[in-house]
Amino acid sequence: MNHYAVWGNPIAQSKSPQIHRLFAEQTGRDISYMAKLGDEQQFEMQLKQFFAEGAKGANITAPFKGRAFKLADEHSEGCLLAEACNTLKRLDDGRLYADNTDGFGLCSDLERLGWFEPNQRVLILGTGGATKGVLFPLLEAKQQITIYNRTLEKAIHLAAKFAKYGNIQTASLEQIAEQAFDLVINATSLGLQGKYVPIAEHLLRNTAVYDMQYAPNMQTPFLNYARDCGAQRYQDGLGMLVGQAAFSFKLWENEFPNIETTLVSLKFEIENAK
């Protein structure tokens, strides 16, 4: 049996153990997958011990993605650019390989929704770890990206870092209001505080709207705002969560599970757990 876990703090809310159990059932793999509460002071020691005891891989969530990145011996290109990892794999020689599958998870969900064509005008709200983890795959897919952040300097710095990979620029709220977009992505964590970025209402009316956070019945603050603005196409990040997990599973077990089937099962389990 191969042993895996997701590490974070807090972690009790994580859907990853459910998702990977569904993956294992679907593919017939004999694995164990647990949620592990990381200690703010002892996280590196905990993770080293986890792998020393024979674990094959781990998922990493907030607030440890940057610290896990520094702990790894090898990194994927996207992981190096993001300077954060959500997936670790123990190599045969005992070294740790770090990847960031968040961007692949987002792209696969956008494709599933039919919202993913080349040369789309994409507005991304926020410059934190969530944005950094998805920029490389989005730019590789020829998306024309505009980044908004309350602190414009952070957006400018991030855009400059990724400029050689594709079309990426920044804009203020006033400048955004004068533009048009095919897709708006909320990558901020404001929803955790019950808040959202109040972008111009007309931008959301005829635009696909995606929130990386997820909530029952898609009741995130940003999606509630989008619906109030008249948005007709909107989605939360549950599909992205399943997608990034699928790419992690493929890295570990060398088999890609069916995302759509798993997403249907996961939604059923969530609804019936109420």
Side-chain angles (χ1 to χ4, degrees):
M1 178 182 287
N2 290 338
H3 297 280
Y4 305 101
V6 58
W7 290 84
N9 189 340
I11 198 61
Q13 81 289 352
S14 177
K15 299 289 188 293
S16 292
Q18 283 176 268
I19 293 169
H20 284 275
R21 173 180 54 76
L22 290 168
F23 286 166
E25 291 172 0
Q26 182 189 122
T27 59
R29 298 301 175 110
D30 186 20
I31 71 167
S32 70
Y33 188 106
M34 301 176 65
K36 297 276 193 178
L37 181 65
D39 182 88
E40 291 281 0
Q41 279 72 46
Q42 304 293 325
F43 171 68
E44 285 80 3
M45 188 172 72
Q46 287 179 310
L47 200 59
K48 287 179 181 178
Q49 182 64 28
F50 178 66
F51 281 105
E53 292 172 354
K56 296 289 186 181
N59 284 130
I60 311 295
T61 189
F64 300 121
K65 290 184 178 183
R67 290 166 67 173
F69 168 84
K70 293 177 182 177
L71 199 63
D73 304 291
E74 288 187 25
H75 307 79
S76 68
E77 185 175 9
C79 189
L80 285 171
L81 284 167
E83 297 182 0
C85 88
N86 76 329
T87 305
L88 289 170
K89 177 182 180 179
R90 192 186 70 187
L91 302 175
D92 291 340
D93 60 7
R95 294 179 304 142
L96 293 181
Y97 173 79
D99 202 350
N100 193 316
T101 67
D102 286 334
F104 299 117
L106 173 62
C107 291
S108 70
D109 202 37
L110 293 175
E111 192 167 349
R112 178 184 69 86
L113 294 165
W115 296 358
F116 205 49
E117 299 292 337
N119 301 309
Q120 287 187 137
R121 298 160 298 178
V122 180
L123 172 62
I124 300 181
L125 307 175
T127 58
T131 298
K132 293 173 183 175
V134 303
L135 280 178
F136 183 58
L138 287 174
L139 289 169
E140 276 201 319
K142 309 301 182 188
Q143 305 298 295
Q144 300 178 33
I145 295 175
T146 299
I147 302 176
Y148 164 78
N149 193 66
R150 185 174 56 183
T151 306
L152 184 59
E153 290 76 14
K154 289 183 178 180
I156 292 171
H157 175 75
L158 189 60
K161 180 179 180 180
F162 283 84
K164 66 179 179 180
Y165 298 98
N167 187 331
I168 184 169
Q169 59 186 333
T170 64
S172 66
L173 278 181
E174 293 75 18
Q175 292 169 327
I176 287 170
E178 298 172 357
Q179 301 180 42
F181 299 95
D182 302 298
L183 174 65
V184 175
I185 299 174
N186 176 44
T188 73
S189 59
L190 289 173
L192 298 175
Q193 306 159 34
K195 301 176 182 178
Y196 56 85
V197 178
I199 64 174
E201 293 184 13
H202 70 270
L203 290 176
L204 300 172
R205 209 162 287 140
N206 300 304
T207 306
V209 181
Y210 195 96
D211 194 340
M212 287 192 192
Q213 295 186 341
Y214 60 91
N217 300 314
M218 294 191 284
Q219 296 290 328
T220 71
F222 184 68
L223 291 185
N224 287 338
Y225 173 64
R227 282 189 287 265
D228 289 343
C229 293
Q232 299 298 309
R233 293 182 296 156
Y234 49 85
Q235 188 67 48
D236 71 1
L238 190 63
M240 175 181 171
L241 180 68
V242 175
Q244 62 81 26
F247 282 93
S248 294
F249 190 86
K250 172 66 166 61
L251 182 65
W252 298 328
E253 293 287 321
N254 200 32
E255 184 170 357
F256 199 84
N258 187 299
I259 294 174
E260 183 68 40
T261 300
T262 305
L263 187 55
V264 170
S265 298
L266 181 62
K267 287 180 178 177
F268 179 82
E269 289 189 4
I270 292 173
E271 288 299 315
N272 284 274
K274 291 179 181 179

